[in-house]
Amino acid sequence: MKKKLLSLWLVVLSIFSILSPLAAHAQSDDLDGLSFEELVEAADGSTVNFYGWGGDETLNKWLDEVYGPALKEKYNITLNRVPMDIDQILTQLSNEEQAGAEESEIDMIWINGENFKTARENDFLYGPFLDKLPNFQEYYDAENPENTHDFGYPIEGYEAPYSKAQLVMIKDGAKTPESPKSAQEILEYAKANPGQFTYPALPDFTGSAFVRNIIYEFVDYEVFQDTEADKEVVKEAIQPAIDYLNELAPYLWSKGTSYPADGPALNNLFMDGEVAFYQTYGAYEIANSITDGAYPETAESYVLDKGTIGNTSFIAVGKRSSRKAAALVAINEMLSPEMQLSKYEQIGEIPVVDNAKLTDEQKEAFNAVDPGPGTIDQADLLDHRLPEMPAALVPIIEEIWQEEVAGK
């Protein structure tokens, strides 16, 4: 009997010795030799931490009630959403890097723009990994500039697309029939209706996007693709827009002596009727606000004639994550047409999947989605989509605004 038990135990140890290296290898830095099926096997039973901004309750609910349960059911992966501002995430990654930590709790990271540039330049991220994701290979255009560059910075496989955003203007059509669609029309409206227009103080990302959009009204966006990241060079290039913003300032809410702290603060002013317009990167969030009763049914959105800035947010993987296999499996699921369709239907986020690569049945499902009241047709919205500036220019523009506009 003892010999049988010993033999059985040796068999168990033998099996474990085969599987254990695979799991350990799959969660280590080197995943190159593993197929996606092997990554799925290694991720089984894992808990993956998803770090990112937690201020969007609609998105939070979708992650907790749709995406998380799908990961659990399909792959036995538990999603742990960790609400944290990106500057705090970068600080934690920096502290771990300086301390030489072997492992990190930061697995998946919601990131884009200058924050991605900072993370890459400081070697905080794992990659490249896009070639390991079957859904990216099947449903995404790897040559699309929005998948190759993030605010002009090369992605090189270190992050996967998460969702698209685009700046829109929101108003209550019943109270405000005017829809100023250019810098000049905004100025004319503000002069005729003092205090009814404003934008968030930079470096808030919505306020920063609005200012960059105003810059595009005066200087073609292509000029900035090769502009040197030098303060004096940038200042000279954007001076017409700075002059415009200073001319606009006295007619803004609070006469331009102060600005809303961020997008939510501006939204509160809009809902309270203190200002007539709200700008947001959430192109379809108006529908939820109308449905929830936060906005009147007469609320509507629009874009400027020359277009509005759009960008893509991404998911990256922490370099020191000990659950890289689970992170990659989870990201692959986020890229699936099913998850992208669900986000579009339930949250109103612009899908990142390439429509041309979908089946006819999948295309019909996406085309059948009604983003809801007050929204802009997706084709019209994307026709007015302008590219972002290179990431290195954004903090320089924000600094110039602080000195030349807010500081006056």
Side-chain angles (χ1 to χ4, degrees), residues 95-153:
N95 291 340
E96 292 172 351
E97 184 74 18
Q98 292 176 17
E102 292 186 5
E103 294 185 357
S104 171
E105 292 298 309
I106 300 178
D107 303 322
M108 299 162 61
I109 309 165
W110 183 9
I111 195 170
N112 78 335
E114 48 195 300
N115 295 311
F116 172 68
K117 179 176 182 290
T118 297
R120 280 287 287 120
E121 291 179 344
N122 287 278
D123 195 27
F124 294 160
L125 303 179
Y126 164 75
F129 63 79
L130 287 181
D131 60 331
K132 300 174 176 60
L133 309 182
N135 281 334
F136 184 82
Q137 303 302 317
E138 184 172 358
Y139 297 110
Y140 292 77
D141 180 3
E143 302 304 318
N144 186 321
E146 292 206 46
N147 292 333
T148 62
H149 288 76
D150 184 353
F151 278 68
Y153 192 83

Side-chain angles (χ1 to χ4, degrees), residues 52-85:
W53 182 62
D56 186 336
E57 290 305 321
T58 304
L59 174 59
N60 294 342
K61 183 177 180 181
W62 181 84
L63 289 169
D64 293 340
E65 298 182 4
V66 178
Y67 176 59
L71 289 179
K72 187 66 176 178
E73 180 180 351
K74 292 179 68 173
Y75 303 109
N76 193 27
I77 295 174
T78 300
L79 178 71
N80 179 38
R81 185 173 54 81
V82 184
M84 184 179 288
D85 291 343

Side-chain angles (χ1 to χ4, degrees), residues 5 39-40 77 110 118 126 140 180 216 229 253 269 277 370 392:
L5 288 175
L39 292 178
V40 169
I77 295 174
W110 183 9
T118 297
Y126 164 75
Y140 292 77
Y216 284 170
W253 172 82
L269 291 177
F277 296 90
D370 178 6

